[in-house]
Amino acid sequence: IGVGLVGFGLFFITFGILLYFDSVLLAFGNILFLSGLVFIIGFRRTFTFFFQRPKLKGSSFFFGGVVIVLMRWPILGMLLEAYGFITLFR
């Protein structure tokens, strides 16, 4: 179930970007991606991954970008998410 949710989430994010940053598709993709991640590695491990002390800056930018996309500012939200993603995994 988790791999399917992550796959559909990535599909909707990609499709939302291809359709000139459609905010509904991007928001749906973000929700599916995060819920799939919880299904794959579990709630506790997901929580500890995102809220470790050294990764707090990247997590705040990533989740801030998700919130901005949900508020229908898709380009700014995706830029914040991308910066947070790069900061989390460097």
Side-chain angles (χ1 to χ4, degrees), residues 16-66:
I17 291 172
L18 289 176
L19 289 176
Y20 301 112
F21 293 97
D22 184 35
S23 61
V24 174
L25 290 174
L26 291 173
F28 194 60
N30 284 330
I31 292 169
L32 286 175
F33 179 76
L34 290 175
S35 63
L37 190 64
V38 169
F39 270 100
I40 290 174
I41 64 174
F43 184 75
R44 180 173 290 163
R45 291 179 76 186
T46 304
F47 186 80
T48 56
F49 172 76
F50 279 111
F51 294 107
Q52 291 175 2
R53 184 90 168 136
K55 296 183 180 184
L56 209 53
K57 179 182 174 185
S59 297
S60 62
F61 272 101
F62 182 75
F63 287 120
V66 170

Side-chain angles (χ1 to χ4, degrees), residues 2-17:
V3 174
L5 287 173
V6 168
F8 277 121
L10 291 175
F11 170 75
F12 279 113
I13 289 172
T14 305
F15 200 57
I17 291 172

